[in-house]
Amino acid sequence: FCIMAVPGKAAAFHLPPLPTVGEIIKLFRLKAQKQLSQNFLLDLRLTDKIVRQAGELKNAHVCEVGPGPGGITRSILSAGVEQLLLIEKDARFIPGLQMLSEAAPGKVRIVHGDILTYKMEKAFPKHLKKNWEDEPPDIHIIGNLPFSVSTPLIIKWLENVSKKDGPFTYGRTQMTLTFQKEVAERLTANPGGKQRSRLSIMSQHLCTVENCFVIPGQAFVPKPEVDVAVVHFTPLVQPKIEQPFELVEKVVQSVFQFRRKYCFRGIETLFPESGRLKRTEQLMMTANVDPTLRPFQLSMSQFRNLCNTYRKMCDEDPSLFVYNYREELRQKKMRSFLKSTRQPEQTEEENQL
């Protein structure tokens, strides 16, 4: 359901005196739920700093993901936005957010729902749409994401970037999001770095990714065991690997499957057991990639070559793309198990008995 504030706009916007975020938490007896990996950020200096990383928000349209008790929400409203869409899954936070909505007439729309299923392509006015080659639209996504949802959500949004749908039907919508410090390091890691991973390739081939600053764990309530980093994403006009998202993801996942081994070990898993070695050799030679490099040592251009060559091989043999290494492994184990549990054949004497 949606809750819309009373229409009406002010030339220069300032929030009226309100209870502090801490007082809101006490007032509505809000408690961070560990199973939802919730952590509240109460320091408004830090929430202001997060919002500044998003860029100029005056008269912009913003979607905040998981506003919780509304700390970042206040900083976004104070930046003078035109409209703020709040998407909150936890119903306990809705009354506190409604209080903010009433303090900012006409500016806030609250959606009680799950960001993973919410249709973002209808979230903003159509007149804000821009061509992909133009400057980013005046639309921003901001969120202090729960750890449990941050990685699946950014992968979903990266797929949206690749297909130019979801929140990117409006153009190259920018995102400013929080992640565990280690995840943020993976998102921004360079070739050869110890944090270089699948996330590094999937994010950097589609976006400019900037690790803005780190927030120490003790700034949150309750204090998480890790520090938190703020990361800013701007979709690229031209992706660095011009292949379908599913194909790039399959190649990258395969390469990083055996992170500490030579990269050809992971690439082997792209092919069925029959003809595996020959096809792996063909792919690596055509892509001009040294098979003895470790996955984290591969550059973006080497991943591009691997994806382009794999695409040609799939065009020649469409069954390749639907091949699933893990499924083949599972069936192999099942056959082995059935063979080991099969009763031994009875002897002639046993038959007579």
Side-chain angles (χ1 to χ4, degrees):
F1 61 84
C2 283
I3 303 163
M4 193 71 185
V6 180
K9 295 176 186 175
F13 181 76
H14 295 286
L15 280 171
L18 287 164
T20 65
V21 180
E23 287 167 346
I24 292 255
I25 289 169
K26 285 179 184 173
L27 178 65
F28 295 104
R29 297 179 180 178
L30 302 173
K31 190 178 180 183
Q33 294 192 358
K34 196 171 182 180
Q35 65 268 32
L36 298 176
S37 59
Q38 292 175 339
N39 303 94
F40 303 149
L41 190 56
L42 308 186
D43 188 336
L44 292 184
R45 290 169 301 177
L46 284 172
T47 59
D48 285 347
K49 192 176 179 182
I50 291 171
V51 170
R52 281 197 297 273
Q53 299 304 318
E56 179 56 61
L57 294 186
K58 191 167 177 58
N59 301 323
H61 288 247
V62 176
C63 171
E64 187 189 354
V65 183
I72 294 177
T73 313
R74 295 176 188 225
S75 296
I76 294 171
L77 286 169
S78 297
V81 297
E82 178 75 14
Q83 286 286 321
L84 174 56
L85 168 65
L86 303 175
I87 301 175
E88 179 53 66
K89 185 179 181 180
D90 193 333
R92 297 175 305 143
F93 297 120
I94 300 297
L97 296 173
Q98 208 170 350
M99 188 182 287
L100 279 174
S101 174
E102 289 161 3
K107 286 187 176 285
V108 181
R109 184 159 56 103
I110 303 168
V111 173
H112 176 211
D114 188 343
I115 187 62
L116 287 167
T117 56
Y118 182 70
K119 302 292 183 189
M120 288 283 281
E121 57 270 21
K122 296 178 180 176
F124 305 104
K126 288 181 180 177
H127 74 265
L128 296 172
K129 283 190 178 183
K130 288 201 174 184
N131 293 324
W132 195 259
E133 298 74 24
D134 296 342
E135 286 297 304
D138 219 359
I139 295 171
H140 299 261
I141 298 172
I142 299 174
N144 173 29
L145 303 177
F147 296 155
S148 59
V149 79
S150 60
T151 301
L153 184 56
I154 195 59
I155 288 292
K156 177 181 184 290
W157 276 339
L158 289 170
E159 183 172 3
N160 290 144
V161 171
S162 175
K163 295 175 179 176
K164 299 176 185 173
D165 60 13
F168 307 97
T169 53
Y170 300 90
R172 296 185 296 121
T173 301
Q174 297 177 78
M175 302 180 284
T176 308
L177 307 166
T178 62
F179 296 89
Q180 289 182 52
K181 185 185 172 189
E182 188 180 312
V183 175
E185 287 170 351
R186 286 183 205 153
L187 286 162
T188 55
N190 293 318
K194 63 178 182 178
Q195 295 287 14
R196 186 77 162 174
S197 67
R198 173 181 74 115
L199 271 181
S200 318
I201 310 302
M202 296 311 294
S203 57
Q204 292 171 34
H205 102 267
L206 290 164
C207 298
T208 300
V209 191
E210 182 189 356
N211 194 337
C212 304
F213 67 97
V214 174
I215 305 172
Q218 61 260 31
F220 293 86
V221 178
K223 176 184 175 295
E225 293 176 8
V226 294
D227 293 336
V228 172
V230 177
V231 183
H232 184 76
F233 300 81
T234 306
L236 295 165
V237 173
Q238 204 77 19
K240 291 178 181 173
I241 303 173
E242 294 193 68
Q243 293 295 348
F245 184 86
E246 293 83 0
L247 185 140
V248 178
E249 188 174 41
K250 186 178 182 185
V251 172
V252 174
Q253 272 184 332
S254 296
V255 171
F256 279 101
Q257 192 156 202
F258 303 107
R259 180 179 171 76
R260 297 182 183 278
K261 298 188 177 181
Y262 293 142
C263 64
F264 81 86
R265 281 291 293 112
I267 289 169
E268 282 182 332
T269 65
L270 288 168
F271 305 108
E273 195 170 18
S274 170
R276 178 172 288 158
L277 290 175
K278 187 180 177 184
R279 280 173 152 172
T280 301
E281 190 178 319
Q282 180 192 344
L283 174 55
M284 304 223 61
M285 283 184 68
T286 309
N288 193 25
V289 173
D290 181 350
T292 62
L293 288 173
R294 311 286 176 181
F296 58 88
Q297 293 176 308
L298 297 183
S299 67
M300 188 64 77
S301 62
Q302 287 171 317
F303 271 105
R304 180 172 60 240
N305 291 349
L306 288 169
C307 291
N308 290 344
T309 307
Y310 180 66
R311 171 65 185 270
K312 285 178 185 172
M313 294 172 81
C314 288
D315 287 344
E316 290 166 9
D317 180 2
S319 68
L320 264 188
F321 188 69
V322 294
Y323 165 71
N324 186 313
Y325 172 75
R326 290 183 183 277
E327 181 60 25
E328 184 181 67
L329 212 58
R330 191 187 67 79
Q331 288 181 4
K332 201 173 177 181
K333 283 180 180 176
M334 182 62 75
R335 284 195 298 270
S336 176
F337 172 75
L338 290 172
K339 194 175 179 181
S340 67
T341 56
R342 197 177 293 151
Q343 291 292 329
E345 288 183 18
Q346 292 179 316
T347 64
E348 192 177 334
E349 294 167 62
E350 287 172 325
N351 281 334
Q352 287 173 354
L353 283 169

